Amino acid sequence: MRKPIIILGIESSCDDTSAAVIKDGKILANIVANQSVHEQYGGVVPELASRAHQQNIIPVVDQAIKRAGITTNEISAIAFTRGPGLMGSLLVGASFSKAFAMGMNIPLIEVNHMQGHILAHFIEEEGKEFLKPSFPFLCLTVSGGHTQIVLVKDFFDMQIIGETIDDAAGEAFDKAAKILGLPYPGGPLIDKYAKEGNPKAFSFSKPQIPDLNFSFSGLKTGFMNFINNETAKHPDFIEKNLVDICASIQSTIIEIVLSKLKKAAHLHHIQHIAIAGGVSANSGLRNELQKLKQELKWELFIPKFEYCTDNAAMIAITGYHKFLKNDFSTQEISPLPRYSINSI
Ligand code: KG4
Ligand code: ZN
């Protein structure tokens, strides 16, 4: 009988420390330690993130191995996030993985974080059959650090056809939340309050950016000015209108994102559409996508919630596909904070 391929995946690009185990493409464990230390600062503090990764990494890996019910000797290879991300954070995962590979005498596999978000669509679960996207498909990758539309031709051939020229969609959510006095990360809170509010209560001007690119910095400034003007007139404006403000800013962000996705699908004649990244957890975005699916006859792929935000399962599945191709790294490898998916 063939020996199973067991990949230990490590993710530490931003503020989540995660380890996962995948056996022959099927998930056995996916452990994520979130870092609450950033909540009070309104954003991720890089120095604090790397310190927290250093504290979390061994317990997280230990838990993943135990949850998977395997021994370290059974691991075929270790895959880690090489970039893009915060240098100090990436260094913790890369150093751990290099040492683990050397100590266990197993191959080391570097993974592009954005490729991981996209290949999260291929994570299989024991006993659960599901339809996977077929190539070529378009993936809208919307997270705290990125907003891209990627033409995915194969597991290893991906091309960015549109991206943000300034802030990411997740950043737009988080910055709007910060302006409203909500803790970081504010995206999930805006989502929660928006469910109760009227998305047409307030309107914000949308950017006029050519092609398939995005911009969110103007929206942030417009939103800040609006809130400052209103609170100057009525100090309790936010408190009284929180759900309507959240619903309105959320629907504006979604409209900006989806108008470009529709344009990309049309231009490339592709109806297989996937979404990835933390913002793909947003319920308003998911609802609007379901409407487009009906309207435009899209085949729509939305990952399970736990594979939307940063996780090591997506790194392990990418590592698995690279293992099948014998695509290994050497011990000389170092993190790449700016690592484009175009150069994988
Ligand atoms: O992919 P991710 O976990 O980390 C990065 O690689 O950035 O994405 C985190 C981002 C944060 O900006 C967070 O506010 C946003 O995803 N996010 C959401 C929701 N859940 C997470 N934004 C809107 N609605 C949500 N439900
Ligand atoms: Zn991410």
Side-chain angles (χ1 to χ4, degrees), residues 10-37:
I10 304 291
E11 157 63 29
S12 71
S13 65
C14 190
D15 60 341
D16 294 309
T17 319
S18 180
V21 178
I22 279 196
K23 180 179 179 181
D24 289 332
K26 292 197 172 62
I27 188 85
L28 296 183
N30 182 39
I31 307 293
V32 184
N34 306 116
Q35 302 179 357
S36 53
V37 63

Side-chain angles (χ1 to χ4, degrees), residues 11 13-14 113-114 117 143-146 277-278 308-311 314:
E11 157 63 29
S13 65
C14 190
H113 179 85
M114 303 312 290
H117 270 302
S143 71
H146 298 269
C308 286
T309 48
D310 286 350
N311 66 87
M314 68 188 202

